Amino acid sequence: MNLMPLLAPFSTADAGAVALILLLWAGLGWAVEHPPSGKPSVSVLMQDYRRDWLREHVTRQPRIFDATILGNLRQGTTFFASACMISIGGGLAVIGNPEQLAMLAEDLQLGTTTTLAFEVKIVLILFFVANAFLKFVWAHRLFGYSSVVMGAIPNDVADPTTYPRAAKAAEINITAAKSFNRGMRSIYFALGAIGWLVGAWGLALGAVISALVIWRREFWSHSRTVLMQPDTAAE
């Protein structure tokens, strides 16, 4: 397969910008999920709260509050998965109409010289959106598994299966949250990838801005400061 016609419209700067956004996407995801022990991310901090939630679930009566929380979590995954499906459909529709695509590129003066180059740039955006869609769908499924396990937790605290099942529900819930957060990071980088439509510098700038926004919200946000505060009241 001859790839030269496909790569001809792109420069070394384009290749570098694509490599940058992919490296930031993968590297930042790893850093968020495996932070230094002394500087946990918001995602990691929330894991302990999810475990505490499921332990409290054992003795909470009634348990409607817990069902409401889980229902809200599943609604969020449904919303974002639906939005991703619409975005994927729109992107494929644009790619499937090359005449309109060429006119759009010319009207917007995006610096893309060929329809093929414009299509490749949209494919990069769709890559992130499609990845986000798959993560949201899996998160929705896992939240469903967690709800089933929660429903199987006995009301009797003395039952030997009570707390082990609560722990299982918590770990499944944490895995679902990881998948949801991965989907959200892909959405951020999909927005950053839109910058490629104006050139390699636009893609590089979009990638860096997306990474900075995620980094700030995971490691320097006010919500993280609140979560890091001790639970004991000051005397």
Side-chain angles (χ1 to χ4, degrees), residues 175-196:
T175 304
K178 284 183 179 179
S179 188
F180 181 84
N181 290 334
R182 290 169 183 170
M184 290 300 297
R185 287 195 293 272
S186 290
I187 292 295
Y188 280 110
F189 280 103
L191 294 174
I194 295 175
W196 200 13

Side-chain angles (χ1 to χ4, degrees), residues 53 56-69 155:
W53 164 30
E56 290 296 324
H57 169 76
V58 171
T59 56
R60 194 183 341 264
Q61 295 297 334
R63 294 178 172 178
I64 297 175
F65 177 73
D66 305 289
T68 301
I69 296 175
N155 290 323

Side-chain angles (χ1 to χ4, degrees), residues 17-39:
V18 172
L20 175 64
I21 194 171
L22 293 176
L23 286 173
L24 287 175
W25 170 61
L28 188 58
W30 190 90
V32 168
E33 295 181 7
H34 304 86
S37 58
K39 192 175 179 60

Side-chain angles (χ1 to χ4, degrees), residues 82-125:
S82 300
C84 287
M85 287 188 65
I86 295 172
S87 299
I88 293 171
L92 293 176
V94 171
I95 292 175
N97 195 340
E99 293 80 10
Q100 294 292 331
L101 193 60
M103 293 175 58
L104 178 63
E106 183 178 353
D107 291 342
L108 296 180
Q109 297 180 347
L110 294 176
T112 301
T113 56
T114 66
T115 301
L116 178 60
F118 199 93
E119 290 174 342
V120 171
K121 293 179 179 183
I122 293 179
V123 166
L124 179 65
I125 300 171

Side-chain angles (χ1 to χ4, degrees), residues 42-175:
V42 171
S43 297
V44 170
L45 289 171
M46 288 301 299
Q47 292 179 10
D48 289 334
Y49 281 95
R50 292 176 189 274
R51 295 186 180 100
D52 292 342
W53 164 30
L54 269 299
R55 281 193 292 267
E56 290 296 324
H57 169 76
V58 171
T59 56
R60 194 183 341 264
Q61 295 297 334
R63 294 178 172 178
I64 297 175
F65 177 73
D66 305 289
T68 301
I69 296 175
L70 202 54
N72 290 335
L73 292 175
R74 297 196 76 188
Q75 285 180 3
T77 59
T78 301
F79 170 78
F80 283 108
S82 300
C84 287
M85 287 188 65
I86 295 172
S87 299
I88 293 171
L92 293 176
V94 171
I95 292 175
N97 195 340
E99 293 80 10
Q100 294 292 331
L101 193 60
M103 293 175 58
L104 178 63
E106 183 178 353
D107 291 342
L108 296 180
Q109 297 180 347
L110 294 176
T112 301
T113 56
T114 66
T115 301
L116 178 60
F118 199 93
E119 290 174 342
V120 171
K121 293 179 179 183
I122 293 179
V123 166
L124 179 65
I125 300 171
L126 291 181
F127 164 77
F128 288 112
V129 176
N131 180 77
F133 170 73
L134 294 174
K135 298 303 181 184
F136 290 136
V137 169
W138 184 232
H140 187 270
R141 189 72 176 270
L142 288 174
F143 281 131
Y145 291 160
S146 182
S147 66
V148 172
V149 178
M150 287 171 65
I153 297 174
N155 290 323
D156 184 5
V157 178
D159 191 306
T161 65
T162 297
Y163 283 101
R165 286 186 177 178
K168 290 179 181 179
E171 294 308 314
I172 295 174
N173 196 288
I174 288 170
T175 304

